[in-house]
Amino acid sequence: MLREDWHAGSAADLPAVFGIGGALSVPLPPGEILTDQSPGQDEPAPLCWISTEPPSPHLLAALRTDHERTGLWPLLLCDSNEVYGDRCTVGIVPPEPAEHIERWHAADVMARIWDGLVQAEDDLGPAYELEVLEPFGYDCPGPAPSGNLLADPDILANQQVPRFVDDETRLALVPVPRGADVLATLGWSGAANHVSRTAGLAAMARSWEERFGVRLLRLGPDRLDLSVAAPPQEHDHATAVAAEHWAFCPDRILQESGSIAAYAREIRGRRTWSFWWD
């Protein structure tokens, strides 16, 4: 839902709307404020600002530099099945505050999801064959070690942005201290068939920011795209990272790669990670 009384055609309007400090250093294109569309909202709260047209990659780069001062994270939103202004990728389910993300640690989230995925289904045996999990088994292996930075994370993010901009892409500015938090605070429902709430996934994404120089680039109704400045370079490291990705988004691995081992070969050295949920 877009609020006409919160029309934000200029950068000067946003600090007042979101209660943030610094002003933006660049003018914004035409856009609106997207509000919480989840049930039971008499006075929907503002979630983010969204442009009405595809953005320039140069604009995103400038806004990324502004983030530390403004508290507004620049993000690409894509939505080819719905209409901007009436429905959107975000605001469909109740947003979760950042405090919910802070309750989780990546290792605990991974273990909890892993155990849930491999648990026995009555008399049918384990939900997944060991061939899917190899070289791991039914016990969660835990998070992978950190990667080695090959580039500045923000510079790499700016370099990767043009790959993800098309006619269906819009620019969003989200009031969050870090990009990973938007998975929870925007009321995004893309992983709803995998997890009931997204604070745990946001905690994993926070950990990837710290260990792999990840930056959240684009969010869609059922997908997520990240830039990766410290990707795994060696086979064993890539396999350990692939195990995390399986817990984070099993659909991407099972329906495309077929196994953790096969997926590990795909992400070794890759500067972007893309996920989708069925």
Side-chain angles (χ1 to χ4, degrees):
M1 179 185 299
L2 297 173
R3 286 281 298 267
E4 293 182 0
D5 54 330
W6 278 336
H7 179 74
S10 71
D13 298 328
L14 297 187
V17 171
F18 293 115
I20 56 176
L24 300 174
S25 64
V26 290
L28 291 178
E32 300 279 1
I33 298 297
L34 181 67
T35 62
D36 183 359
Q37 302 174 64
S38 60
Q41 301 298 318
D42 294 331
E43 291 292 331
L47 292 178
C48 66
W49 175 91
I50 184 172
S51 67
T52 57
E53 298 294 335
S56 157
H58 296 293
L59 175 60
L60 258 79
L63 294 170
R64 194 182 311 279
T65 300
D66 282 352
H67 172 259
E68 185 174 352
R69 185 183 69 259
T70 66
L72 292 172
W73 183 264
L75 172 70
L76 297 173
L77 291 182
C78 63
D79 193 337
S80 59
N81 299 318
E82 297 175 327
V83 179
Y84 284 98
D86 296 326
R87 300 176 63 202
C88 192
T89 294
V90 298
I92 305 300
V93 298
E96 296 180 80
E99 297 79 50
H100 288 192
I101 305 172
E102 293 161 3
R103 297 173 185 172
W104 292 99
H105 297 285
D108 297 332
V109 177
M110 182 182 179
R112 182 169 180 171
I113 294 176
W114 189 287
D115 291 345
L117 289 173
V118 304
Q119 66 185 348
E121 296 182 345
D122 299 322
D123 298 328
L124 301 179
Y128 295 96
E129 299 293 336
L130 278 174
E131 288 79 3
V132 173
L133 305 177
E134 287 179 350
F136 308 106
Y138 295 130
D139 294 328
C140 178
S146 299
N148 297 316
L149 282 174
L150 304 179
D152 178 279
D154 293 323
I155 293 176
L156 178 68
N158 294 337
Q159 293 171 341
Q160 296 297 325
V161 159
R163 295 179 50 196
F164 298 103
V165 178
D166 58 29
D167 290 343
E168 304 295 340
T169 307
R170 301 294 182 264
L171 165 66
L173 290 174
V174 191
V176 288
R178 54 196 299 176
D181 292 7
V182 305
L183 298 181
T185 62
L186 277 185
W188 175 65
S189 59
N193 290 337
H194 177 45
V195 293
S196 58
R197 304 293 283 163
T198 55
L201 298 186
M204 291 187 73
R206 278 186 175 188
S207 181
W208 292 347
E209 288 176 341
E210 296 161 2
R211 288 182 289 137
F212 303 109
V214 157
R215 295 293 183 265
L216 198 154
L217 298 182
R218 185 174 69 168
L219 198 62
D222 57 0
R223 70 172 298 120
L224 168 66
D225 299 291
L226 309 170
S227 61
V228 189
Q233 298 294 303
E234 303 298 330
H235 170 77
D236 289 347
H237 193 199
T239 304
V241 172
E244 288 192 56
H245 289 193
W246 184 74
F248 188 83
C249 181
D251 292 339
R252 164 63 181 87
I253 295 175
L254 292 171
Q255 298 187 37
E256 287 191 24
S257 308
S259 69
I260 289 176
Y263 177 74
R265 293 190 290 270
E266 297 176 19
I267 63 168
R268 184 174 173 181
R270 288 194 61 174
R271 303 297 182 93
T272 58
W273 293 341
S274 293
F275 304 98
W276 58 264
W277 290 261
D278 208 352

